[in-house]
Amino acid sequence: MKTKPLQAVILAGGRGTRLAPYTTVLPKPLMPIGEYPILEVVLRQLKAHGVDRVVMAVGYLAGLLEAYCGDGSRWGLEIRYAHEREPLGTAGPLAALRDQLDETFLMMNGDILTDLDYADLLAFHRTGGAAVTIATYPKPV
């Protein structure tokens, strides 16, 4: 049985102040990890797990993110951009996008690397019948 393509919202509008001074010229999602920027790794993972459309919430240094990702076609994705005129926080972009989102979608930060299986997460969400499913990982500090 073929599953319905999935939409993702990527939050990529923050200033990345903890990585300053590097983030004064490069947004955190474009920081390289090995051969690729973090965001490209994320986009490749999303595509591999059935995502076909991405809305990227951008603000700080948005032009660099748009120049790098373009329309997403090089990854087989459709990428659209939602511009934050002022920082909206973590959930703020969702309010502005509510009329453009599927009933079920992934929302994530553009600077998080994980080996989470998004298809498994989606299946868990759908079978659980919850309004929201949040994936977390304990990190001792």
Side-chain angles (χ1 to χ4, degrees):
M1 180 171 107
K2 191 171 181 178
T3 59
K4 180 181 175 188
L6 185 60
Q7 182 179 32
V9 175
I10 297 178
L11 304 176
R15 292 186 152 280
T17 55
R18 288 185 300 239
L19 285 181
Y22 306 108
T23 51
T24 59
V25 295
L26 196 63
K28 195 160 76 164
L30 291 182
M31 288 290 156
I33 299 293
E35 190 176 337
Y36 302 106
I38 296 169
L39 184 57
E40 181 167 348
V41 173
V42 169
L43 292 170
R44 288 171 181 262
Q45 288 174 326
L46 289 171
K47 179 61 181 176
H49 287 101
V51 171
D52 68 340
R53 292 168 293 131
V54 173
V55 178
M56 199 171 309
V58 295
Y60 179 67
L61 298 176
L64 292 174
L65 291 161
E66 290 181 63
Y68 187 84
C69 296
D71 65 1
S73 58
R74 70 175 160 163
W75 300 293
L77 296 166
E78 174 192 318
I79 298 178
R80 291 182 299 114
Y81 299 90
H83 294 267
E84 299 178 11
R85 295 188 190 346
E86 59 186 52
L88 299 175
T90 300
L94 288 183
L97 294 170
R98 71 175 156 249
D99 296 334
Q100 303 172 44
L101 298 175
D102 295 343
E103 184 176 330
T104 301
F105 61 91
L106 288 172
M107 183 177 117
M108 59 195 308
N109 292 328
D111 59 356
I112 300 294
L113 291 175
T114 180
D115 61 359
L116 179 68
D117 185 320
Y118 299 115
D120 283 350
L121 177 66
L122 177 62
F124 175 82
H125 171 76
R126 287 185 171 150
T127 59
V132 175
T133 300
I134 299 173
T136 63
Y137 178 81
K139 181 179 177 192
V141 178

